[in-house]
Amino acid sequence: MKNAQILAAYELAKQQYAEYGVDTDLALEKMKEVTISLHCWQTDDVAGCERPDSALDGGGIQVTGNYPGKARNISEMMADLEVVMNLLPGQQRLNLHAIYGDFGEEFTDRDQIETKHFQTWIDWAKKLGIGLDFNATCFSHPKSNDGFTLSSKDESVRRFWIEHVKRCRRIAADMGRQLGTPAVHNIWIPDGSKDAPIDRFAHRKLLKASLDEIFAEAFPAEYLKDAVESKLFGIGSESMVVGSHDFYLCYAAQNKKLICLDNGHFHPTEQVGDKISSVLQFVDELLLHMTRGVRWDSDHVLTFNDESKLIAQEIVRSNALNRVKIGLDFFDASLNRIGAYVIGARAAQQAFLYALLEPREMILKYEEAGKNFERLALLETANALPWSAVYNYYCMKNNVVAGSDYIGEIQEYETKTLLLR
Ligand code: RNT
Ligand code: ZN
C-alpha cells in the first residue's frame, strides 16, 4: 500500500469516527498499552530443544500438518521471530516454554533446568529491548505419560514436577529482573482422565497442595507474575481435567494469582468475553491465551472474529487494559508458520484497536436510557466503521507494511530461507 493512500484513508476515517465522538489519534495512543506476547511454540510445532529429535508428545494437545520450514534450533527460532516482529506494528514480548532452553549437547532433565539455560534468550531479548514470559512444560515427558503431573498420586512423579515448576518460577523471576519488566509465568498442566474417574477430589486436593508448595517461594512483583490456566478437556482427558476453570478461578482469587483465560478451553457457546467483567471483580490481573477454537479443537490461528472482538471489547469497556497481559496460543503446522504468527498477532491487535474505536459514550447513553433499538443500531454501524484504515495508519506510523503486503514479505522469506532448511 502506498503511504499517500493510507494517509488519505486515515483522514477520512478520522472524520467519520469523530462524528461518533471517537478520537482515532487517542485510540492509537492507547494501542501503546497493547503488547502482544508471542508464543515461541508456533515456530517449531511445540517440539522444543531438549533433544535433536524433540517433538510434541502427549499432554492432550496436538499439532497437525507438515508444512516445510519449521525452526530446528534456537538461532532459527530467533531469526523467524525477528521476521515476525518486523511485520508487526507496536511492541511485542516473547513467551517461552521450559523445553526451549539452550541445553547444548548434554541432556538436561526438567528438574535440573536453571537460568543459565535461558541466558541466550535473555541476552537476545535485551538486545531487542523486549520482555520475556515463561511457562513450565509439564507434557512431552516420560513422567507425564500416565496423564498426571502436579496432581499425581505417585509421590515421586509429583515431586519431580513440583521441582520443575519451582525452578521455572526462579528462571522467570531472573528474566524479569534482568530485563526490567516482570515475566508472567503461566502454569498449565495436562492432568486428567479419558474415562470417568471416581477420585476427582484426591487429584484436585493434590494439585492444590502442589501449587501451595510451588508458590511458597516469594518473588518481587517487578520480576514475576504468576498465572494459572484451566482447561475443559483435552485429547485423552475428555472425562475430567483436574485443573478445571472452577478450580483455578477459586485458586487465583484466593491466592492473588493471575487467571489465564484461554478461549479454546471452554464450551463452544461460552463466551470468554463475558467472563472478563466478572473475573476482574475478584482478581487483580488476567492473562489471555488468544486462540481460535474450531468445533472440538482449540489452537487454530487467531482471526479477527466475534470471539476475539468481544474479549478485547470487554477489556476496553472495563477500562482494564493495564490489568490484562495478552498472550497468543495456537500451533498450526499446515501453513507457513511465520504467516500464522503475523495473521494471529495482527488479529489480536485489530481486535483491541476495534474495541478502542467503539463509540462507547454514545452507545452507553442509549443503553442507560433503555433505547435498545438505538443501541443495537449503533453497534451495527460501528461494525462497519473504517477501523482498517486506522490499523493501516498504525502500521505506517510504525514503519511496517500495511494491508496484505505482509504476504509478499513472508513469501520472500520462505523462498530465501525457510525452504532451504
Ligand atoms: C494447552 C494450553 C497451553 C498450551 C501451551 C503450549 O491446552 O492451552 O497453554 O497450549 O502451554
Ligand atoms: Zn493456552
Coordinates of all heavy atoms in Angstrom, one line a residue, residues 235-316:
I235 N -7.2 -34.1 24.5 CA -7.2 -35.4 23.9 C -6.7 -36.4 24.9 O -5.6 -36.3 25.4 CB -6.3 -35.5 22.6 CG1 -6.8 -34.4 21.6 CG2 -6.4 -36.8 22.0 CD1 -5.7 -34.1 20.6
G236 N -7.6 -37.4 25.3 CA -7.2 -38.3 26.3 C -7.6 -37.8 27.7 O -7.3 -38.5 28.7
S237 N -8.1 -36.7 27.9 CA -8.6 -36.2 29.2 C -10.0 -35.7 29.0 O -10.4 -34.6 29.5 CB -7.7 -35.1 29.8 OG -7.6 -34.0 29.0
E238 N -10.8 -36.4 28.3 CA -12.1 -36.0 27.9 C -13.1 -36.0 29.1 O -14.0 -35.2 29.1 CB -12.7 -36.9 26.8 CG -12.1 -36.7 25.4 CD -10.8 -37.6 25.3 OE1 -10.4 -38.3 26.2 OE2 -10.3 -37.6 24.2
S239 N -12.9 -36.9 30.0 CA -13.9 -37.0 31.1 C -13.7 -36.1 32.3 O -14.6 -35.7 33.0 CB -14.0 -38.5 31.6 OG -14.5 -39.3 30.5
M240 N -12.4 -35.8 32.6 CA -12.1 -34.9 33.7 C -10.7 -34.3 33.5 O -9.7 -34.9 33.1 CB -12.0 -35.7 35.0 CG -11.9 -34.9 36.2 SD -10.4 -34.9 37.2 CE -9.6 -36.4 37.0
V241 N -10.7 -33.0 33.7 CA -9.4 -32.3 33.7 C -9.3 -31.8 35.2 O -10.2 -31.1 35.7 CB -9.4 -31.1 32.7 CG1 -8.3 -30.1 33.1 CG2 -9.1 -31.7 31.3
V242 N -8.2 -32.1 35.8 CA -8.0 -31.7 37.2 C -8.1 -30.2 37.4 O -8.8 -29.7 38.2 CB -6.7 -32.3 37.8 CG1 -6.5 -32.0 39.3 CG2 -6.6 -33.8 37.6
G243 N -7.3 -29.5 36.6 CA -7.2 -28.0 36.6 C -8.4 -27.4 35.8 O -8.1 -26.8 34.8
S244 N -9.6 -27.6 36.3 CA -10.7 -27.0 35.6 C -10.8 -25.5 35.9 O -10.1 -24.9 36.7 CB -12.0 -27.7 36.1 OG -12.1 -27.5 37.5
H245 N -11.8 -24.9 35.2 CA -12.0 -23.4 35.4 C -12.4 -23.1 36.8 O -11.8 -22.2 37.4 CB -13.0 -22.9 34.4 CG -13.2 -21.4 34.5 ND1 -12.2 -20.5 34.3 CD2 -14.3 -20.7 34.7 CE1 -12.6 -19.3 34.4 NE2 -13.9 -19.4 34.6
D246 N -13.3 -23.9 37.4 CA -13.7 -23.7 38.7 C -12.5 -23.7 39.7 O -12.4 -22.9 40.6 CB -14.7 -24.8 39.2 CG -15.8 -25.0 38.2 OD1 -15.4 -25.5 37.0 OD2 -17.0 -24.8 38.4
F247 N -11.7 -24.8 39.5 CA -10.6 -25.0 40.3 C -9.6 -23.8 40.3 O -9.3 -23.2 41.4 CB -9.8 -26.2 39.9 CG -8.6 -26.5 40.7 CD1 -8.6 -27.3 41.9 CD2 -7.4 -25.9 40.5 CE1 -7.5 -27.6 42.7 CE2 -6.2 -26.1 41.3 CZ -6.3 -26.9 42.4
Y248 N -9.2 -23.4 39.1 CA -8.2 -22.3 39.1 C -8.8 -20.9 39.3 O -8.1 -20.0 39.8 CB -7.6 -22.3 37.7 CG -6.5 -23.3 37.6 CD1 -6.5 -24.3 36.5 CD2 -5.4 -23.4 38.5 CE1 -5.5 -25.2 36.4 CE2 -4.4 -24.4 38.3 CZ -4.5 -25.3 37.3 OH -3.5 -26.2 37.2
L249 N -10.1 -20.7 39.0 CA -10.7 -19.4 39.3 C -10.7 -19.2 40.8 O -10.3 -18.1 41.3 CB -12.1 -19.3 38.8 CG -12.7 -18.0 38.8 CD1 -11.9 -16.9 38.0 CD2 -14.1 -18.0 38.2
C250 N -11.1 -20.3 41.6 CA -11.1 -20.2 43.0 C -9.6 -20.0 43.5 O -9.4 -19.1 44.4 CB -11.6 -21.4 43.7 SG -13.4 -21.6 43.4
Y251 N -8.7 -20.8 42.9 CA -7.3 -20.7 43.4 C -6.8 -19.3 43.2 O -6.1 -18.7 44.1 CB -6.4 -21.7 42.7 CG -5.1 -21.9 43.4 CD1 -5.0 -22.8 44.4 CD2 -4.1 -21.0 43.2 CE1 -3.8 -22.9 45.2 CE2 -2.9 -21.1 43.9 CZ -2.8 -22.1 44.9 OH -1.6 -22.2 45.6
A252 N -7.0 -18.8 42.0 CA -6.4 -17.4 41.7 C -7.0 -16.4 42.6 O -6.3 -15.5 43.0 CB -6.7 -17.1 40.2
A253 N -8.3 -16.4 42.8 CA -9.0 -15.4 43.6 C -8.5 -15.5 45.1 O -8.2 -14.5 45.7 CB -10.5 -15.6 43.6
Q254 N -8.3 -16.7 45.5 CA -7.9 -16.9 46.9 C -6.5 -16.5 47.2 O -6.1 -16.1 48.2 CB -8.2 -18.3 47.3 CG -8.2 -18.6 48.8 CD -8.6 -20.0 49.2 OE1 -8.1 -21.0 48.7 NE2 -9.6 -20.1 50.0
N255 N -5.6 -16.8 46.1 CA -4.2 -16.7 46.3 C -3.6 -15.5 45.6 O -2.4 -15.4 45.4 CB -3.5 -18.0 45.9 CG -3.9 -19.1 46.8 OD1 -3.5 -19.2 48.0 ND2 -4.9 -19.9 46.4
K256 N -4.4 -14.6 45.0 CA -4.0 -13.4 44.3 C -3.0 -13.8 43.2 O -1.9 -13.2 43.0 CB -3.3 -12.4 45.3 CG -4.2 -11.9 46.3 CD -3.9 -10.5 46.7 CE -5.0 -9.8 47.5 NZ -6.3 -9.8 46.9
K257 N -3.5 -14.7 42.3 CA -2.7 -15.1 41.1 C -3.4 -14.6 39.9 O -4.6 -14.2 40.0 CB -2.6 -16.6 41.0 CG -1.9 -17.3 42.2 CD -0.5 -16.8 42.4 CE 0.1 -17.3 43.7 NZ 1.3 -16.4 44.1
L258 N -2.8 -14.5 38.8 CA -3.5 -14.1 37.6 C -4.2 -15.4 37.1 O -3.7 -16.5 37.2 CB -2.5 -13.7 36.4 CG -1.9 -12.3 36.5 CD1 -0.9 -12.1 37.6 CD2 -1.2 -12.0 35.1
I259 N -5.4 -15.2 36.6 CA -6.1 -16.3 36.0 C -5.9 -16.2 34.5 O -6.0 -15.1 33.9 CB -7.6 -16.4 36.3 CG1 -8.3 -17.5 35.7 CG2 -8.4 -15.1 36.0 CD1 -8.2 -18.8 36.5
C260 N -5.5 -17.3 33.9 CA -5.2 -17.3 32.4 C -6.5 -17.8 31.7 O -6.9 -18.9 32.0 CB -4.0 -18.2 32.1 SG -3.8 -18.4 30.3
L261 N -7.0 -17.0 30.9 CA -8.2 -17.4 30.1 C -7.8 -17.7 28.7 O -7.4 -16.9 27.9 CB -9.3 -16.3 30.1 CG -9.8 -15.9 31.5 CD1 -10.8 -14.7 31.3 CD2 -10.6 -17.0 32.1
D262 N -7.8 -19.0 28.4 CA -7.6 -19.5 27.0 C -8.9 -19.7 26.4 O -9.7 -20.6 26.8 CB -6.7 -20.8 27.1 CG -6.4 -21.3 25.7 OD1 -7.3 -21.4 24.8 OD2 -5.2 -21.7 25.5
N263 N -9.3 -19.0 25.4 CA -10.7 -19.1 24.9 C -10.9 -20.4 24.1 O -12.1 -20.6 23.7 CB -11.1 -17.8 24.1 CG -10.2 -17.5 22.9 OD1 -9.0 -17.2 23.1 ND2 -10.8 -17.6 21.7
G264 N -9.9 -21.2 23.9 CA -10.1 -22.5 23.4 C -10.5 -23.6 24.4 O -10.7 -24.7 24.1
H265 N -10.6 -23.1 25.7 CA -10.7 -24.1 26.8 C -12.1 -24.0 27.4 O -12.2 -24.3 28.6 CB -9.7 -23.8 27.8 CG -8.3 -24.2 27.4 ND1 -7.2 -24.1 28.2 CD2 -7.8 -24.7 26.2 CE1 -6.1 -24.5 27.5 NE2 -6.5 -24.8 26.3
F266 N -13.1 -23.7 26.7 CA -14.4 -23.6 27.3 C -15.5 -24.2 26.4 O -15.1 -24.6 25.2 CB -14.8 -22.1 27.5 CG -13.9 -21.5 28.6 CD1 -12.7 -20.9 28.2 CD2 -14.3 -21.5 29.9 CE1 -11.8 -20.4 29.2 CE2 -13.5 -20.9 30.9 CZ -12.2 -20.4 30.5
H267 N -16.7 -24.4 26.9 CA -17.7 -24.9 26.0 C -17.9 -24.0 24.8 O -17.8 -22.8 25.0 CB -19.0 -25.1 26.8 CG -19.0 -26.2 27.8 ND1 -19.1 -27.5 27.4 CD2 -18.8 -26.1 29.1 CE1 -19.1 -28.2 28.5 NE2 -18.9 -27.4 29.6
P268 N -18.2 -24.5 23.6 CA -18.2 -23.7 22.4 C -19.2 -22.5 22.5 O -18.9 -21.5 21.9 CB -18.7 -24.7 21.3 CG -18.3 -26.0 21.8 CD -18.4 -26.0 23.3
T269 N -20.2 -22.6 23.3 CA -21.1 -21.4 23.4 C -20.8 -20.5 24.5 O -21.5 -19.5 24.7 CB -22.6 -21.9 23.4 OG1 -22.8 -22.7 24.6 CG2 -23.0 -22.6 22.2
E270 N -19.9 -20.9 25.3 CA -19.5 -20.0 26.4 C -18.6 -18.8 25.8 O -17.8 -19.1 25.0 CB -18.6 -20.7 27.4 CG -19.2 -21.2 28.7 CD -18.3 -21.8 29.6 OE1 -17.8 -22.9 29.3 OE2 -18.0 -21.3 30.7
Q271 N -18.8 -17.6 26.3 CA -18.1 -16.5 25.8 C -17.0 -16.1 26.9 O -17.4 -15.6 27.9 CB -19.0 -15.3 25.5 CG -20.0 -15.6 24.4 CD -20.9 -14.5 24.2 OE1 -21.5 -14.0 25.2 NE2 -21.1 -14.1 23.0
V272 N -15.8 -16.2 26.5 CA -14.7 -15.7 27.4 C -14.9 -14.2 27.6 O -14.7 -13.7 28.7 CB -13.3 -16.1 26.9 CG1 -12.2 -15.3 27.6 CG2 -13.1 -17.6 27.1
G273 N -15.3 -13.5 26.6 CA -15.5 -12.0 26.7 C -16.5 -11.7 27.8 O -16.3 -10.8 28.6
D274 N -17.5 -12.5 28.0 CA -18.5 -12.3 29.1 C -17.9 -12.5 30.5 O -18.4 -12.0 31.4 CB -19.7 -13.2 28.8 CG -20.7 -13.0 29.9 OD1 -21.2 -11.9 30.1 OD2 -21.0 -14.0 30.6
K275 N -16.9 -13.3 30.5 CA -16.3 -13.7 31.9 C -15.4 -12.5 32.4 O -15.2 -12.5 33.6 CB -15.4 -14.9 31.8 CG -16.2 -16.2 31.3 CD -15.3 -17.4 31.2 CE -16.0 -18.5 30.6 NZ -17.2 -19.0 31.4
I276 N -14.9 -11.7 31.5 CA -13.9 -10.7 32.0 C -14.4 -9.8 33.1 O -13.7 -9.6 34.1 CB -13.3 -10.0 30.7 CG1 -12.5 -11.0 30.0 CG2 -12.5 -8.8 31.1 CD1 -12.1 -10.7 28.6
S277 N -15.5 -9.2 32.9 CA -16.0 -8.3 33.9 C -16.4 -8.9 35.2 O -16.5 -8.3 36.2 CB -17.2 -7.5 33.3 OG -18.2 -8.4 32.9
S278 N -16.6 -10.2 35.2 CA -16.9 -10.9 36.4 C -15.5 -11.2 37.1 O -15.4 -10.8 38.3 CB -17.5 -12.3 36.2 OG -18.8 -12.2 35.6
V279 N -14.6 -11.8 36.4 CA -13.4 -12.2 37.0 C -12.6 -11.0 37.5 O -12.0 -11.0 38.6 CB -12.6 -13.0 35.9 CG1 -11.1 -13.2 36.3 CG2 -13.2 -14.3 35.6
L280 N -12.7 -9.9 36.8 CA -11.9 -8.7 37.2 C -12.4 -8.1 38.5 O -11.8 -7.2 39.1 CB -11.9 -7.6 36.1 CG -10.9 -7.9 35.0 CD1 -11.0 -6.8 33.9 CD2 -9.5 -8.0 35.5
Q281 N -13.6 -8.5 39.0 CA -14.1 -8.0 40.3 C -13.3 -8.7 41.4 O -13.3 -8.2 42.6 CB -15.6 -8.3 40.5 CG -16.5 -7.9 39.4 CD -16.6 -6.4 39.2 OE1 -16.4 -5.6 40.1 NE2 -17.0 -6.0 37.9
F282 N -12.7 -9.8 41.1 CA -12.1 -10.7 42.2 C -10.6 -10.9 42.0 O -9.9 -11.3 43.0 CB -12.8 -12.0 42.3 CG -14.3 -11.8 42.6 CD1 -15.2 -11.8 41.6 CD2 -14.7 -11.6 43.9 CE1 -16.6 -11.6 41.9 CE2 -16.0 -11.4 44.2 CZ -17.0 -11.4 43.2
V283 N -10.0 -10.8 40.8 CA -8.6 -10.9 40.7 C -8.0 -9.6 40.1 O -8.7 -8.9 39.5 CB -8.2 -12.1 39.7 CG1 -8.7 -13.4 40.2 CG2 -8.6 -11.8 38.3
D284 N -6.8 -9.3 40.5 CA -6.2 -8.0 40.0 C -5.9 -8.0 38.6 O -6.0 -7.0 37.9 CB -4.9 -7.8 40.8 CG -5.2 -7.5 42.3 OD1 -6.3 -7.2 42.6 OD2 -4.3 -7.8 43.1
E285 N -5.4 -9.2 38.1 CA -4.9 -9.2 36.7 C -5.3 -10.5 36.0 O -5.4 -11.5 36.6 CB -3.4 -9.0 36.6 CG -2.9 -7.6 37.0 CD -1.4 -7.5 37.0 OE1 -0.8 -8.0 37.9 OE2 -0.9 -7.0 36.0
L286 N -5.3 -10.4 34.7 CA -5.7 -11.6 33.8 C -4.6 -11.8 32.8 O -3.9 -10.9 32.4 CB -6.9 -11.2 32.9 CG -8.3 -11.1 33.4 CD1 -9.2 -10.7 32.3 CD2 -8.7 -12.4 34.0
L287 N -4.4 -13.1 32.4 CA -3.6 -13.4 31.3 C -4.5 -14.0 30.2 O -5.4 -14.8 30.5 CB -2.5 -14.5 31.7 CG -1.7 -15.1 30.6 CD1 -0.9 -14.0 29.8 CD2 -0.8 -16.2 31.1
L288 N -4.3 -13.6 29.0 CA -5.1 -14.1 27.9 C -4.3 -15.1 27.1 O -3.1 -14.8 26.8 CB -5.6 -13.0 26.9 CG -6.5 -11.9 27.4 CD1 -6.8 -11.0 26.2 CD2 -7.8 -12.5 27.9
H289 N -4.8 -16.2 26.7 CA -4.3 -17.0 25.6 C -5.3 -16.9 24.5 O -6.3 -17.5 24.5 CB -4.2 -18.5 26.1 CG -2.8 -18.8 26.7 ND1 -2.4 -20.1 27.0 CD2 -1.8 -18.0 27.1 CE1 -1.2 -20.0 27.5 NE2 -0.8 -18.8 27.6
M290 N -5.0 -16.0 23.6 CA -5.9 -15.8 22.5 C -5.7 -16.8 21.4 O -4.6 -17.1 21.0 CB -5.8 -14.3 21.9 CG -6.2 -13.3 22.9 SD -6.1 -11.6 22.3 CE -7.7 -11.5 21.4
T291 N -6.8 -17.5 21.0 CA -6.7 -18.6 20.1 C -8.0 -18.7 19.4 O -8.9 -17.9 19.6 CB -6.4 -19.9 20.9 OG1 -6.1 -20.9 20.0 CG2 -7.5 -20.3 21.8
R292 N -8.2 -19.7 18.5 CA -9.4 -19.9 17.8 C -9.8 -21.4 17.9 O -9.1 -22.2 17.4 CB -9.3 -19.5 16.4 CG -10.6 -19.7 15.6 CD -10.6 -19.0 14.2 NE -9.4 -19.2 13.5 CZ -9.3 -19.9 12.4 NH1 -10.3 -20.5 11.9 NH2 -8.1 -20.0 11.8
G293 N -10.9 -21.6 18.6 CA -11.5 -23.0 18.6 C -12.2 -23.2 17.4 O -12.9 -22.4 16.8
V294 N -12.1 -24.5 16.9 CA -12.9 -24.9 15.7 C -13.5 -26.2 16.1 O -12.8 -27.2 16.4 CB -12.1 -25.1 14.5 CG1 -12.9 -25.6 13.3 CG2 -11.4 -23.7 14.1
R295 N -14.8 -26.3 16.2 CA -15.6 -27.5 16.6 C -15.0 -27.9 18.0 O -15.0 -27.2 18.9 CB -15.6 -28.6 15.6 CG -16.2 -28.2 14.3 CD -16.5 -29.3 13.4 NE -16.9 -28.9 12.1 CZ -18.2 -28.6 11.8 NH1 -19.1 -28.6 12.7 NH2 -18.5 -28.2 10.6
W296 N -14.4 -29.2 18.1 CA -14.0 -29.7 19.4 C -12.5 -29.3 19.6 O -12.0 -29.6 20.7 CB -14.1 -31.2 19.4 CG -13.4 -31.8 18.2 CD1 -13.9 -32.1 17.0 CD2 -12.0 -32.2 18.1 NE1 -13.0 -32.6 16.1 CE2 -11.8 -32.7 16.8 CE3 -10.9 -32.2 19.0 CZ2 -10.5 -33.2 16.4 CZ3 -9.7 -32.7 18.6 CH2 -9.5 -33.1 17.3
D297 N -11.9 -28.6 18.7 CA -10.4 -28.4 18.8 C -10.1 -26.9 19.1 O -10.8 -26.1 18.5 CB -9.8 -28.8 17.5 CG -8.3 -29.0 17.6 OD1 -7.8 -29.1 18.8 OD2 -7.6 -28.9 16.6
S298 N -9.1 -26.7 19.9 CA -8.7 -25.3 20.1 C -7.4 -25.1 19.3 O -7.0 -26.0 18.5 CB -8.5 -25.0 21.6 OG -7.3 -25.5 22.1
D299 N -6.7 -24.0 19.5 CA -5.4 -23.8 18.9 C -5.3 -23.6 17.4 O -4.2 -23.8 16.8 CB -4.4 -24.9 19.4 CG -4.4 -25.0 20.9 OD1 -4.3 -24.0 21.5 OD2 -4.4 -26.2 21.4
H300 N -6.3 -23.2 16.8 CA -6.2 -22.7 15.4 C -5.7 -21.3 15.4 O -5.8 -20.5 16.4 CB -7.6 -22.7 14.7 CG -7.9 -24.1 14.2 ND1 -8.2 -25.1 15.1 CD2 -8.1 -24.7 13.0 CE1 -8.5 -26.2 14.5 NE2 -8.5 -26.0 13.2
V301 N -5.1 -20.8 14.3 CA -4.6 -19.5 14.2 C -5.7 -18.4 14.5 O -6.8 -18.5 14.0 CB -4.0 -19.2 12.8 CG1 -3.5 -17.8 12.7 CG2 -3.0 -20.2 12.4
L302 N -5.3 -17.5 15.4 CA -6.3 -16.5 15.8 C -6.7 -15.6 14.6 O -5.9 -15.3 13.7 CB -5.7 -15.6 16.8 CG -6.6 -14.5 17.4 CD1 -7.7 -15.2 18.3 CD2 -5.8 -13.5 18.2
T303 N -8.0 -15.4 14.5 CA -8.5 -14.4 13.5 C -9.3 -13.3 14.2 O -9.7 -13.4 15.3 CB -9.4 -15.1 12.4 OG1 -10.5 -15.8 13.1 CG2 -8.6 -16.1 11.6
F304 N -9.6 -12.3 13.4 CA -10.4 -11.2 13.8 C -11.9 -11.6 13.8 O -12.6 -11.3 12.8 CB -10.1 -10.0 12.9 CG -10.8 -8.7 13.3 CD1 -10.6 -8.0 14.4 CD2 -11.8 -8.2 12.4 CE1 -11.2 -6.8 14.7 CE2 -12.4 -7.0 12.6 CZ -12.2 -6.3 13.8
N305 N -12.3 -12.4 14.8 CA -13.7 -12.9 14.7 C -14.5 -12.4 15.9 O -14.0 -11.6 16.7 CB -13.7 -14.4 14.7 CG -13.0 -15.1 15.9 OD1 -12.7 -14.4 16.9 ND2 -12.8 -16.3 15.8
D306 N -15.7 -12.8 16.0 CA -16.6 -12.2 17.1 C -16.0 -12.5 18.5 O -16.1 -11.7 19.4 CB -18.0 -12.9 17.0 CG -18.8 -12.3 15.8 OD1 -18.3 -11.3 15.2 OD2 -19.9 -12.8 15.6
E307 N -15.4 -13.7 18.6 CA -14.9 -14.0 19.9 C -13.7 -13.1 20.3 O -13.7 -12.6 21.4 CB -14.4 -15.5 19.9 CG -14.4 -16.1 21.2 CD -14.3 -17.7 21.1 OE1 -15.2 -18.3 20.5 OE2 -13.3 -18.2 21.6
S308 N -12.7 -12.9 19.4 CA -11.6 -12.1 19.8 C -12.1 -10.6 20.0 O -11.6 -9.9 20.8 CB -10.5 -12.2 18.8 OG -10.9 -12.2 17.5
K309 N -13.0 -10.2 19.2 CA -13.5 -8.8 19.3 C -14.2 -8.6 20.7 O -13.9 -7.7 21.4 CB -14.6 -8.6 18.2 CG -13.9 -8.2 16.9 CD -15.0 -7.6 16.0 CE -15.4 -8.5 14.9 NZ -16.3 -8.0 13.9
L310 N -15.0 -9.6 21.1 CA -15.7 -9.5 22.4 C -14.7 -9.4 23.6 O -14.9 -8.7 24.5 CB -16.8 -10.5 22.6 CG -17.7 -10.3 23.8 CD1 -18.5 -9.1 23.7 CD2 -18.5 -11.5 24.1
I311 N -13.7 -10.3 23.5 CA -12.7 -10.3 24.5 C -12.0 -8.9 24.6 O -12.0 -8.3 25.7 CB -11.6 -11.4 24.3 CG1 -12.3 -12.8 24.4 CG2 -10.4 -11.2 25.2 CD1 -11.4 -13.9 23.9
A312 N -11.6 -8.4 23.5 CA -11.0 -7.1 23.5 C -11.9 -6.0 24.0 O -11.6 -5.1 24.8 CB -10.4 -6.7 22.1
Q313 N -13.2 -6.0 23.4 CA -14.2 -5.0 23.8 C -14.4 -5.0 25.3 O -14.5 -3.9 25.9 CB -15.5 -5.3 23.1 CG -15.5 -4.9 21.6 CD -16.8 -5.4 20.9 OE1 -17.2 -6.5 21.1 NE2 -17.3 -4.5 20.1
E314 N -14.6 -6.2 25.9 CA -14.9 -6.2 27.3 C -13.7 -5.8 28.2 O -14.0 -5.2 29.2 CB -15.3 -7.7 27.7 CG -16.8 -7.9 27.3 CD -17.8 -7.0 27.9 OE1 -17.7 -6.8 29.1 OE2 -18.5 -6.3 27.2
I315 N -12.5 -5.9 27.7 CA -11.4 -5.4 28.5 C -11.3 -3.9 28.4 O -11.2 -3.2 29.4 CB -10.1 -6.0 27.9 CG1 -10.0 -7.5 28.3 CG2 -8.8 -5.3 28.4 CD1 -9.0 -8.3 27.5
V316 N -11.5 -3.4 27.1 CA -11.5 -1.9 27.0 C -12.7 -1.3 27.7 O -12.6 -0.3 28.3 CB -11.5 -1.6 25.4 CG1 -11.7 -0.1 25.2 CG2 -10.2 -2.0 24.8

